[in-house]
PDB file of all heavy atoms in Angstrom:
ATOM      1  N   GLN A   1     184.014 186.757  13.552  1.00 94.00           N
ATOM      2  CA  GLN A   1     182.907 186.180  14.279  1.00 94.00           C
ATOM      3  C   GLN A   1     181.749 185.905  13.316  1.00 94.00           C
ATOM      4  O   GLN A   1     181.521 186.666  12.376  1.00 94.00           O
ATOM      5  CB  GLN A   1     182.428 187.106  15.397  1.00 94.00           C
ATOM      6  CG  GLN A   1     183.381 187.226  16.567  1.00 94.00           C
ATOM      7  CD  GLN A   1     184.558 188.112  16.258  1.00 94.00           C
ATOM      8  OE1 GLN A   1     185.706 187.721  16.412  1.00 94.00           O
ATOM      9  NE2 GLN A   1     184.284 189.334  15.807  1.00 94.00           N
ATOM     10  N   VAL A   2     181.055 184.823  13.571  1.00 95.00           N
ATOM     11  CA  VAL A   2     179.930 184.407  12.748  1.00 95.00           C
ATOM     12  C   VAL A   2     178.727 184.256  13.661  1.00 95.00           C
ATOM     13  O   VAL A   2     178.788 183.532  14.655  1.00 95.00           O
ATOM     14  CB  VAL A   2     180.211 183.076  12.031  1.00 95.00           C
ATOM     15  CG1 VAL A   2     179.040 182.701  11.123  1.00 95.00           C
ATOM     16  CG2 VAL A   2     181.509 183.154  11.237  1.00 95.00           C
ATOM     17  N   VAL A   3     177.638 184.912  13.323  1.00 95.00           N
ATOM     18  CA  VAL A   3     176.444 184.875  14.155  1.00 95.00           C
ATOM     19  C   VAL A   3     175.229 184.565  13.296  1.00 95.00           C
ATOM     20  O   VAL A   3     174.926 185.293  12.354  1.00 95.00           O
ATOM     21  CB  VAL A   3     176.229 186.201  14.901  1.00 95.00           C
ATOM     22  CG1 VAL A   3     174.969 186.123  15.763  1.00 95.00           C
ATOM     23  CG2 VAL A   3     177.437 186.531  15.767  1.00 95.00           C
ATOM     24  N   GLU A   4     174.517 183.489  13.646  1.00 96.00           N
ATOM     25  CA  GLU A   4     173.285 183.114  12.967  1.00 96.00           C
ATOM     26  C   GLU A   4     172.082 183.594  13.765  1.00 96.00           C
ATOM     27  O   GLU A   4     172.143 183.727  14.988  1.00 96.00           O
ATOM     28  CB  GLU A   4     173.167 181.594  12.800  1.00 96.00           C
ATOM     29  CG  GLU A   4     174.382 180.908  12.222  1.00 96.00           C
ATOM     30  CD  GLU A   4     175.275 180.319  13.289  1.00 96.00           C
ATOM     31  OE1 GLU A   4     175.289 180.828  14.424  1.00 96.00           O
ATOM     32  OE2 GLU A   4     175.978 179.332  12.976  1.00 96.00           O
ATOM     33  N   SER A   5     170.994 183.797  13.062  1.00 95.00           N
ATOM     34  CA  SER A   5     169.746 184.140  13.710  1.00 95.00           C
ATOM     35  C   SER A   5     168.592 183.716  12.818  1.00 95.00           C
ATOM     36  O   SER A   5     168.778 183.424  11.641  1.00 95.00           O
ATOM     37  CB  SER A   5     169.665 185.641  14.006  1.00 95.00           C
ATOM     38  OG  SER A   5     169.700 186.398  12.807  1.00 95.00           O
ATOM     39  N   GLY A   6     167.407 183.687  13.388  1.00 96.00           N
ATOM     40  CA  GLY A   6     166.209 183.432  12.613  1.00 96.00           C
ATOM     41  C   GLY A   6     165.581 182.072  12.803  1.00 96.00           C
ATOM     42  O   GLY A   6     164.526 181.792  12.226  1.00 96.00           O
ATOM     43  N   GLY A   7     166.210 181.215  13.596  1.00 97.00           N
ATOM     44  CA  GLY A   7     165.637 179.905  13.836  1.00 97.00           C
ATOM     45  C   GLY A   7     164.380 179.995  14.680  1.00 97.00           C
ATOM     46  O   GLY A   7     164.054 181.030  15.257  1.00 97.00           O
ATOM     47  N   GLY A   8     163.675 178.889  14.750  1.00 97.00           N
ATOM     48  CA  GLY A   8     162.459 178.845  15.536  1.00 97.00           C
ATOM     49  C   GLY A   8     161.665 177.598  15.265  1.00 97.00           C
ATOM     50  O   GLY A   8     162.153 176.637  14.654  1.00 97.00           O
ATOM     51  N   LEU A   9     160.436 177.610  15.723  1.00 98.00           N
ATOM     52  CA  LEU A   9     159.505 176.498  15.560  1.00 98.00           C
ATOM     53  C   LEU A   9     158.516 176.838  14.459  1.00 98.00           C
ATOM     54  O   LEU A   9     157.904 177.910  14.470  1.00 98.00           O
ATOM     55  CB  LEU A   9     158.767 176.232  16.872  1.00 98.00           C
ATOM     56  CG  LEU A   9     157.680 175.170  16.851  1.00 98.00           C
ATOM     57  CD1 LEU A   9     158.265 173.804  16.547  1.00 98.00           C
ATOM     58  CD2 LEU A   9     156.938 175.167  18.180  1.00 98.00           C
ATOM     59  N   VAL A  10     158.353 175.916  13.528  1.00 98.00           N
ATOM     60  CA  VAL A  10     157.449 176.131  12.411  1.00 98.00           C
ATOM     61  C   VAL A  10     156.759 174.818  12.072  1.00 98.00           C
ATOM     62  O   VAL A  10     157.321 173.738  12.266  1.00 98.00           O
ATOM     63  CB  VAL A  10     158.217 176.695  11.191  1.00 98.00           C
ATOM     64  CG1 VAL A  10     159.238 175.688  10.674  1.00 98.00           C
ATOM     65  CG2 VAL A  10     157.266 177.118  10.082  1.00 98.00           C
ATOM     66  N   GLN A  11     155.545 174.910  11.582  1.00 98.00           N
ATOM     67  CA  GLN A  11     154.823 173.718  11.153  1.00 98.00           C
ATOM     68  C   GLN A  11     155.322 173.242   9.801  1.00 98.00           C
ATOM     69  O   GLN A  11     155.833 174.027   8.993  1.00 98.00           O
ATOM     70  CB  GLN A  11     153.323 173.995  11.074  1.00 98.00           C
ATOM     71  CG  GLN A  11     152.645 174.194  12.418  1.00 98.00           C
ATOM     72  CD  GLN A  11     151.155 174.350  12.282  1.00 98.00           C
ATOM     73  OE1 GLN A  11     150.663 175.059  11.413  1.00 98.00           O
ATOM     74  NE2 GLN A  11     150.419 173.666  13.145  1.00 98.00           N
ATOM     75  N   ALA A  12     155.180 171.958   9.561  1.00 98.00           N
ATOM     76  CA  ALA A  12     155.541 171.400   8.263  1.00 98.00           C
ATOM     77  C   ALA A  12     154.840 172.163   7.143  1.00 98.00           C
ATOM     78  O   ALA A  12     153.653 172.473   7.240  1.00 98.00           O
ATOM     79  CB  ALA A  12     155.189 169.922   8.204  1.00 98.00           C
ATOM     80  N   GLY A  13     155.595 172.455   6.096  1.00 98.00           N
ATOM     81  CA  GLY A  13     155.083 173.241   4.991  1.00 98.00           C
ATOM     82  C   GLY A  13     155.324 174.726   5.125  1.00 98.00           C
ATOM     83  O   GLY A  13     155.133 175.474   4.151  1.00 98.00           O
ATOM     84  N   GLY A  14     155.758 175.154   6.290  1.00 98.00           N
ATOM     85  CA  GLY A  14     156.008 176.557   6.526  1.00 98.00           C
ATOM     86  C   GLY A  14     157.385 176.988   6.079  1.00 98.00           C
ATOM     87  O   GLY A  14     158.139 176.223   5.480  1.00 98.00           O
ATOM     88  N   SER A  15     157.715 178.226   6.408  1.00 98.00           N
ATOM     89  CA  SER A  15     158.967 178.825   5.969  1.00 98.00           C
ATOM     90  C   SER A  15     159.669 179.531   7.112  1.00 98.00           C
ATOM     91  O   SER A  15     159.036 180.008   8.055  1.00 98.00           O
ATOM     92  CB  SER A  15     158.717 179.848   4.851  1.00 98.00           C
ATOM     93  OG  SER A  15     158.144 179.244   3.706  1.00 98.00           O
ATOM     94  N   LEU A  16     160.973 179.580   7.004  1.00 98.00           N
ATOM     95  CA  LEU A  16     161.805 180.381   7.881  1.00 98.00           C
ATOM     96  C   LEU A  16     162.918 180.986   7.056  1.00 98.00           C
ATOM     97  O   LEU A  16     163.331 180.414   6.040  1.00 98.00           O
ATOM     98  CB  LEU A  16     162.424 179.546   9.006  1.00 98.00           C
ATOM     99  CG  LEU A  16     161.550 179.128  10.178  1.00 98.00           C
ATOM    100  CD1 LEU A  16     162.328 178.172  11.080  1.00 98.00           C
ATOM    101  CD2 LEU A  16     161.088 180.339  10.968  1.00 98.00           C
ATOM    102  N   ARG A  17     163.418 182.111   7.513  1.00 98.00           N
ATOM    103  CA  ARG A  17     164.558 182.745   6.875  1.00 98.00           C
ATOM    104  C   ARG A  17     165.646 182.917   7.922  1.00 98.00           C
ATOM    105  O   ARG A  17     165.455 183.631   8.908  1.00 98.00           O
ATOM    106  CB  ARG A  17     164.178 184.096   6.278  1.00 98.00           C
ATOM    107  CG  ARG A  17     165.307 184.761   5.480  1.00 98.00           C
ATOM    108  CD  ARG A  17     164.834 186.057   4.836  1.00 98.00           C
ATOM    109  NE  ARG A  17     165.877 186.738   4.091  1.00 98.00           N
ATOM    110  CZ  ARG A  17     166.156 186.523   2.816  1.00 98.00           C
ATOM    111  NH1 ARG A  17     165.466 185.627   2.122  1.00 98.00           N
ATOM    112  NH2 ARG A  17     167.126 187.207   2.215  1.00 98.00           N
ATOM    113  N   LEU A  18     166.769 182.272   7.693  1.00 98.00           N
ATOM    114  CA  LEU A  18     167.911 182.394   8.568  1.00 98.00           C
ATOM    115  C   LEU A  18     168.850 183.459   8.037  1.00 98.00           C
ATOM    116  O   LEU A  18     169.007 183.623   6.826  1.00 98.00           O
ATOM    117  CB  LEU A  18     168.667 181.069   8.673  1.00 98.00           C
ATOM    118  CG  LEU A  18     167.863 179.841   9.090  1.00 98.00           C
ATOM    119  CD1 LEU A  18     168.788 178.634   9.199  1.00 98.00           C
ATOM    120  CD2 LEU A  18     167.125 180.082  10.397  1.00 98.00           C
ATOM    121  N   SER A  19     169.477 184.162   8.953  1.00 97.00           N
ATOM    122  CA  SER A  19     170.449 185.173   8.586  1.00 97.00           C
ATOM    123  C   SER A  19     171.770 184.878   9.267  1.00 97.00           C
ATOM    124  O   SER A  19     171.818 184.294  10.344  1.00 97.00           O
ATOM    125  CB  SER A  19     169.965 186.571   8.981  1.00 97.00           C
ATOM    126  OG  SER A  19     168.814 186.934   8.255  1.00 97.00           O
ATOM    127  N   CYS A  20     172.837 185.305   8.627  1.00 96.00           N
ATOM    128  CA  CYS A  20     174.176 185.124   9.156  1.00 96.00           C
ATOM    129  C   CYS A  20     174.963 186.390   8.900  1.00 96.00           C
ATOM    130  O   CYS A  20     174.925 186.933   7.787  1.00 96.00           O
ATOM    131  CB  CYS A  20     174.852 183.928   8.490  1.00 96.00           C
ATOM    132  SG  CYS A  20     176.577 183.680   8.947  1.00 96.00           S
ATOM    133  N   ALA A  21     175.679 186.836   9.901  1.00 94.00           N
ATOM    134  CA  ALA A  21     176.477 188.038   9.774  1.00 94.00           C
ATOM    135  C   ALA A  21     177.909 187.773  10.208  1.00 94.00           C
ATOM    136  O   ALA A  21     178.149 187.100  11.214  1.00 94.00           O
ATOM    137  CB  ALA A  21     175.884 189.170  10.605  1.00 94.00           C
ATOM    138  N   LEU A  22     178.845 188.294   9.441  1.00 92.00           N
ATOM    139  CA  LEU A  22     180.248 188.264   9.811  1.00 92.00           C
ATOM    140  C   LEU A  22     180.640 189.586  10.435  1.00 92.00           C
ATOM    141  O   LEU A  22     180.175 190.645  10.022  1.00 92.00           O
ATOM    142  CB  LEU A  22     181.141 188.020   8.601  1.00 92.00           C
ATOM    143  CG  LEU A  22     181.021 186.703   7.849  1.00 92.00           C
ATOM    144  CD1 LEU A  22     182.082 186.638   6.764  1.00 92.00           C
ATOM    145  CD2 LEU A  22     181.159 185.525   8.796  1.00 92.00           C
ATOM    146  N   SER A  23     181.512 189.517  11.409  1.00 90.00           N
ATOM    147  CA  SER A  23     182.062 190.719  12.003  1.00 90.00           C
ATOM    148  C   SER A  23     183.524 190.482  12.342  1.00 90.00           C
ATOM    149  O   SER A  23     184.003 189.357  12.334  1.00 90.00           O
ATOM    150  CB  SER A  23     181.283 191.134  13.248  1.00 90.00           C
ATOM    151  OG  SER A  23     181.359 190.137  14.249  1.00 90.00           O
ATOM    152  N   GLY A  24     184.217 191.564  12.628  1.00 88.00           N
ATOM    153  CA  GLY A  24     185.630 191.464  12.914  1.00 88.00           C
ATOM    154  C   GLY A  24     186.460 191.743  11.680  1.00 88.00           C
ATOM    155  O   GLY A  24     186.179 192.690  10.945  1.00 88.00           O
ATOM    156  N   ARG A  25     187.441 190.910  11.429  1.00 76.00           N
ATOM    157  CA  ARG A  25     188.357 191.101  10.312  1.00 76.00           C
ATOM    158  C   ARG A  25     187.767 190.503   9.042  1.00 76.00           C
ATOM    159  O   ARG A  25     188.103 189.390   8.640  1.00 76.00           O
ATOM    160  CB  ARG A  25     189.709 190.479  10.642  1.00 76.00           C
ATOM    161  CG  ARG A  25     190.361 191.101  11.865  1.00 76.00           C
ATOM    162  CD  ARG A  25     191.644 190.401  12.240  1.00 76.00           C
ATOM    163  NE  ARG A  25     192.209 190.942  13.466  1.00 76.00           N
ATOM    164  CZ  ARG A  25     193.288 190.480  14.063  1.00 76.00           C
ATOM    165  NH1 ARG A  25     193.943 189.445  13.542  1.00 76.00           N
ATOM    166  NH2 ARG A  25     193.718 191.031  15.181  1.00 76.00           N
ATOM    167  N   THR A  26     186.907 191.289   8.421  1.00 71.00           N
ATOM    168  CA  THR A  26     186.133 190.797   7.283  1.00 71.00           C
ATOM    169  C   THR A  26     186.467 191.520   5.989  1.00 71.00           C
ATOM    170  O   THR A  26     185.640 191.583   5.080  1.00 71.00           O
ATOM    171  CB  THR A  26     184.635 190.909   7.576  1.00 71.00           C
ATOM    172  OG1 THR A  26     184.304 192.267   7.868  1.00 71.00           O
ATOM    173  CG2 THR A  26     184.248 190.026   8.751  1.00 71.00           C
ATOM    174  N   SER A  27     187.662 192.062   5.887  1.00 71.00           N
ATOM    175  CA  SER A  27     188.055 192.743   4.659  1.00 71.00           C
ATOM    176  C   SER A  27     188.230 191.776   3.496  1.00 71.00           C
ATOM    177  O   SER A  27     188.122 192.174   2.339  1.00 71.00           O
ATOM    178  CB  SER A  27     189.341 193.534   4.881  1.00 71.00           C
ATOM    179  OG  SER A  27     190.404 192.690   5.281  1.00 71.00           O
ATOM    180  N   THR A  28     188.514 190.533   3.794  1.00 76.00           N
ATOM    181  CA  THR A  28     188.656 189.499   2.778  1.00 76.00           C
ATOM    182  C   THR A  28     187.306 188.859   2.494  1.00 76.00           C
ATOM    183  O   THR A  28     186.522 188.636   3.413  1.00 76.00           O
ATOM    184  CB  THR A  28     189.652 188.425   3.237  1.00 76.00           C
ATOM    185  OG1 THR A  28     190.922 189.028   3.488  1.00 76.00           O
ATOM    186  CG2 THR A  28     189.817 187.342   2.187  1.00 76.00           C
ATOM    187  N   SER A  29     187.050 188.565   1.235  1.00 84.00           N
ATOM    188  CA  SER A  29     185.829 187.860   0.870  1.00 84.00           C
ATOM    189  C   SER A  29     185.901 186.406   1.318  1.00 84.00           C
ATOM    190  O   SER A  29     186.960 185.782   1.279  1.00 84.00           O
ATOM    191  CB  SER A  29     185.603 187.927  -0.635  1.00 84.00           C
ATOM    192  OG  SER A  29     185.396 189.260  -1.063  1.00 84.00           O
ATOM    193  N   TYR A  30     184.765 185.885   1.733  1.00 90.00           N
ATOM    194  CA  TYR A  30     184.685 184.510   2.195  1.00 90.00           C
ATOM    195  C   TYR A  30     183.577 183.759   1.485  1.00 90.00           C
ATOM    196  O   TYR A  30     182.528 184.331   1.177  1.00 90.00           O
ATOM    197  CB  TYR A  30     184.387 184.457   3.700  1.00 90.00           C
ATOM    198  CG  TYR A  30     185.514 184.944   4.571  1.00 90.00           C
ATOM    199  CD1 TYR A  30     185.561 186.264   4.990  1.00 90.00           C
ATOM    200  CD2 TYR A  30     186.518 184.080   4.975  1.00 90.00           C
ATOM    201  CE1 TYR A  30     186.595 186.712   5.797  1.00 90.00           C
ATOM    202  CE2 TYR A  30     187.550 184.520   5.775  1.00 90.00           C
ATOM    203  CZ  TYR A  30     187.587 185.841   6.189  1.00 90.00           C
ATOM    204  OH  TYR A  30     188.610 186.277   6.988  1.00 90.00           O
ATOM    205  N   THR A  31     183.844 182.495   1.236  1.00 93.00           N
ATOM    206  CA  THR A  31     182.746 181.594   0.944  1.00 93.00           C
ATOM    207  C   THR A  31     181.876 181.482   2.190  1.00 93.00           C
ATOM    208  O   THR A  31     182.397 181.346   3.302  1.00 93.00           O
ATOM    209  CB  THR A  31     183.275 180.209   0.548  1.00 93.00           C
ATOM    210  OG1 THR A  31     183.900 180.295  -0.729  1.00 93.00           O
ATOM    211  CG2 THR A  31     182.158 179.186   0.491  1.00 93.00           C
ATOM    212  N   MET A  32     180.580 181.537   1.994  1.00 94.00           N
ATOM    213  CA  MET A  32     179.646 181.413   3.096  1.00 94.00           C
ATOM    214  C   MET A  32     178.813 180.164   2.888  1.00 94.00           C
ATOM    215  O   MET A  32     178.248 179.963   1.815  1.00 94.00           O
ATOM    216  CB  MET A  32     178.732 182.632   3.182  1.00 94.00           C
ATOM    217  CG  MET A  32     179.473 183.950   3.361  1.00 94.00           C
ATOM    218  SD  MET A  32     180.349 184.054   4.942  1.00 94.00           S
ATOM    219  CE  MET A  32     178.966 183.993   6.082  1.00 94.00           C
ATOM    220  N   GLY A  33     178.749 179.363   3.917  1.00 96.00           N
ATOM    221  CA  GLY A  33     178.017 178.116   3.825  1.00 96.00           C
ATOM    222  C   GLY A  33     177.078 177.905   4.990  1.00 96.00           C
ATOM    223  O   GLY A  33     177.245 178.490   6.063  1.00 96.00           O
ATOM    224  N   TRP A  34     176.091 177.084   4.744  1.00 98.00           N
ATOM    225  CA  TRP A  34     175.167 176.645   5.780  1.00 98.00           C
ATOM    226  C   TRP A  34     175.268 175.132   5.927  1.00 98.00           C
ATOM    227  O   TRP A  34     175.270 174.404   4.928  1.00 98.00           O
ATOM    228  CB  TRP A  34     173.722 177.015   5.458  1.00 98.00           C
ATOM    229  CG  TRP A  34     173.415 178.470   5.578  1.00 98.00           C
ATOM    230  CD1 TRP A  34     173.422 179.399   4.582  1.00 98.00           C
ATOM    231  CD2 TRP A  34     173.035 179.155   6.770  1.00 98.00           C
ATOM    232  NE1 TRP A  34     173.071 180.624   5.075  1.00 98.00           N
ATOM    233  CE2 TRP A  34     172.829 180.506   6.420  1.00 98.00           C
ATOM    234  CE3 TRP A  34     172.845 178.772   8.089  1.00 98.00           C
ATOM    235  CZ2 TRP A  34     172.444 181.473   7.348  1.00 98.00           C
ATOM    236  CZ3 TRP A  34     172.463 179.732   9.019  1.00 98.00           C
ATOM    237  CH2 TRP A  34     172.267 181.055   8.643  1.00 98.00           C
ATOM    238  N   PHE A  35     175.352 174.694   7.161  1.00 98.00           N
ATOM    239  CA  PHE A  35     175.354 173.290   7.506  1.00 98.00           C
ATOM    240  C   PHE A  35     174.319 173.062   8.592  1.00 98.00           C
ATOM    241  O   PHE A  35     173.898 174.006   9.262  1.00 98.00           O
ATOM    242  CB  PHE A  35     176.739 172.851   7.994  1.00 98.00           C
ATOM    243  CG  PHE A  35     177.815 172.972   6.954  1.00 98.00           C
ATOM    244  CD1 PHE A  35     178.403 174.197   6.668  1.00 98.00           C
ATOM    245  CD2 PHE A  35     178.245 171.854   6.245  1.00 98.00           C
ATOM    246  CE1 PHE A  35     179.395 174.315   5.707  1.00 98.00           C
ATOM    247  CE2 PHE A  35     179.240 171.958   5.285  1.00 98.00           C
ATOM    248  CZ  PHE A  35     179.808 173.187   5.012  1.00 98.00           C
ATOM    249  N   ARG A  36     173.939 171.830   8.771  1.00 98.00           N
ATOM    250  CA  ARG A  36     172.997 171.527   9.835  1.00 98.00           C
ATOM    251  C   ARG A  36     173.369 170.216  10.497  1.00 98.00           C
ATOM    252  O   ARG A  36     174.015 169.355   9.905  1.00 98.00           O
ATOM    253  CB  ARG A  36     171.556 171.478   9.313  1.00 98.00           C
ATOM    254  CG  ARG A  36     171.267 170.340   8.347  1.00 98.00           C
ATOM    255  CD  ARG A  36     169.873 170.483   7.770  1.00 98.00           C
ATOM    256  NE  ARG A  36     169.523 169.377   6.894  1.00 98.00           N
ATOM    257  CZ  ARG A  36     168.415 169.320   6.165  1.00 98.00           C
ATOM    258  NH1 ARG A  36     167.536 170.321   6.213  1.00 98.00           N
ATOM    259  NH2 ARG A  36     168.180 168.271   5.398  1.00 98.00           N
ATOM    260  N   GLN A  37     172.925 170.082  11.727  1.00 98.00           N
ATOM    261  CA  GLN A  37     173.220 168.884  12.489  1.00 98.00           C
ATOM    262  C   GLN A  37     172.019 168.531  13.356  1.00 98.00           C
ATOM    263  O   GLN A  37     171.608 169.311  14.210  1.00 98.00           O
ATOM    264  CB  GLN A  37     174.457 169.084  13.358  1.00 98.00           C
ATOM    265  CG  GLN A  37     174.945 167.814  14.024  1.00 98.00           C
ATOM    266  CD  GLN A  37     176.343 167.969  14.587  1.00 98.00           C
ATOM    267  OE1 GLN A  37     176.805 169.079  14.821  1.00 98.00           O
ATOM    268  NE2 GLN A  37     177.019 166.859  14.798  1.00 98.00           N
ATOM    269  N   ALA A  38     171.489 167.364  13.112  1.00 97.00           N
ATOM    270  CA  ALA A  38     170.403 166.834  13.914  1.00 97.00           C
ATOM    271  C   ALA A  38     170.983 166.002  15.049  1.00 97.00           C
ATOM    272  O   ALA A  38     172.116 165.517  14.958  1.00 97.00           O
ATOM    273  CB  ALA A  38     169.473 165.984  13.055  1.00 97.00           C
ATOM    274  N   PRO A  39     170.227 165.810  16.127  1.00 92.00           N
ATOM    275  CA  PRO A  39     170.727 165.025  17.252  1.00 92.00           C
ATOM    276  C   PRO A  39     171.190 163.637  16.824  1.00 92.00           C
ATOM    277  O   PRO A  39     170.485 162.934  16.100  1.00 92.00           O
ATOM    278  CB  PRO A  39     169.524 164.942  18.191  1.00 92.00           C
ATOM    279  CG  PRO A  39     168.733 166.169  17.880  1.00 92.00           C
ATOM    280  CD  PRO A  39     168.887 166.365  16.396  1.00 92.00           C
ATOM    281  N   GLY A  40     172.380 163.271  17.251  1.00 94.00           N
ATOM    282  CA  GLY A  40     172.915 161.962  16.948  1.00 94.00           C
ATOM    283  C   GLY A  40     173.448 161.786  15.544  1.00 94.00           C
ATOM    284  O   GLY A  40     173.862 160.680  15.185  1.00 94.00           O
ATOM    285  N   LYS A  41     173.441 162.838  14.747  1.00 96.00           N
ATOM    286  CA  LYS A  41     173.912 162.750  13.375  1.00 96.00           C
ATOM    287  C   LYS A  41     175.092 163.687  13.148  1.00 96.00           C
ATOM    288  O   LYS A  41     175.308 164.635  13.899  1.00 96.00           O
ATOM    289  CB  LYS A  41     172.786 163.087  12.394  1.00 96.00           C
ATOM    290  CG  LYS A  41     171.615 162.123  12.434  1.00 96.00           C
ATOM    291  CD  LYS A  41     170.587 162.464  11.380  1.00 96.00           C
ATOM    292  CE  LYS A  41     169.435 161.485  11.386  1.00 96.00           C
ATOM    293  NZ  LYS A  41     168.420 161.819  10.353  1.00 96.00           N
ATOM    294  N   GLU A  42     175.833 163.406  12.094  1.00 96.00           N
ATOM    295  CA  GLU A  42     176.947 164.264  11.731  1.00 96.00           C
ATOM    296  C   GLU A  42     176.452 165.509  11.013  1.00 96.00           C
ATOM    297  O   GLU A  42     175.348 165.539  10.467  1.00 96.00           O
ATOM    298  CB  GLU A  42     177.938 163.504  10.856  1.00 96.00           C
ATOM    299  CG  GLU A  42     178.626 162.363  11.571  1.00 96.00           C
ATOM    300  CD  GLU A  42     179.726 161.744  10.751  1.00 96.00           C
ATOM    301  OE1 GLU A  42     179.862 162.082   9.556  1.00 96.00           O
ATOM    302  OE2 GLU A  42     180.469 160.921  11.304  1.00 96.00           O
ATOM    303  N   ARG A  43     177.297 166.511  11.020  1.00 96.00           N
ATOM    304  CA  ARG A  43     176.955 167.755  10.371  1.00 96.00           C
ATOM    305  C   ARG A  43     176.820 167.553   8.860  1.00 96.00           C
ATOM    306  O   ARG A  43     177.653 166.903   8.226  1.00 96.00           O
ATOM    307  CB  ARG A  43     178.006 168.811  10.683  1.00 96.00           C
ATOM    308  CG  ARG A  43     177.546 170.231  10.436  1.00 96.00           C
ATOM    309  CD  ARG A  43     178.421 171.223  11.211  1.00 96.00           C
ATOM    310  NE  ARG A  43     178.286 171.052  12.647  1.00 96.00           N
ATOM    311  CZ  ARG A  43     178.856 171.846  13.547  1.00 96.00           C
ATOM    312  NH1 ARG A  43     179.604 172.874  13.156  1.00 96.00           N
ATOM    313  NH2 ARG A  43     178.683 171.607  14.836  1.00 96.00           N
ATOM    314  N   GLU A  44     175.781 168.144   8.286  1.00 97.00           N
ATOM    315  CA  GLU A  44     175.411 167.941   6.895  1.00 97.00           C
ATOM    316  C   GLU A  44     175.472 169.254   6.125  1.00 97.00           C
ATOM    317  O   GLU A  44     175.010 170.294   6.600  1.00 97.00           O
ATOM    318  CB  GLU A  44     173.989 167.361   6.824  1.00 97.00           C
ATOM    319  CG  GLU A  44     173.421 167.225   5.428  1.00 97.00           C
ATOM    320  CD  GLU A  44     171.942 166.898   5.425  1.00 97.00           C
ATOM    321  OE1 GLU A  44     171.287 167.070   6.479  1.00 97.00           O
ATOM    322  OE2 GLU A  44     171.425 166.461   4.383  1.00 97.00           O
TER     323      GLU A  44
END
């Protein structure tokens, strides 16, 4: 399982810190990536 947190509303120039946690069968190492998707656009 993959769970993200930390999103929110921020003014331009500000900062946010997103976190992601793996759970379940996580004995194997994984590449971890971040992607984003804006309305009407493909995932980036």
Side-chain angles (χ1 to χ4, degrees):
Q1 289 76 234
V2 183
V3 180
E4 311 97 333
S5 62
L9 176 64
V10 64
Q11 290 185 316
S15 298
L16 284 173
R17 185 176 179 88
L18 306 182
S19 295
C20 175
L22 296 185
S23 62
R25 299 176 184 176
T26 58
S27 60
T28 301
S29 296
Y30 291 94
T31 290
M32 301 295 296
W34 288 95
F35 297 79
R36 66 187 183 187
Q37 189 166 20
K41 297 184 178 180
E42 294 188 351
R43 198 160 295 185
E44 174 191 16

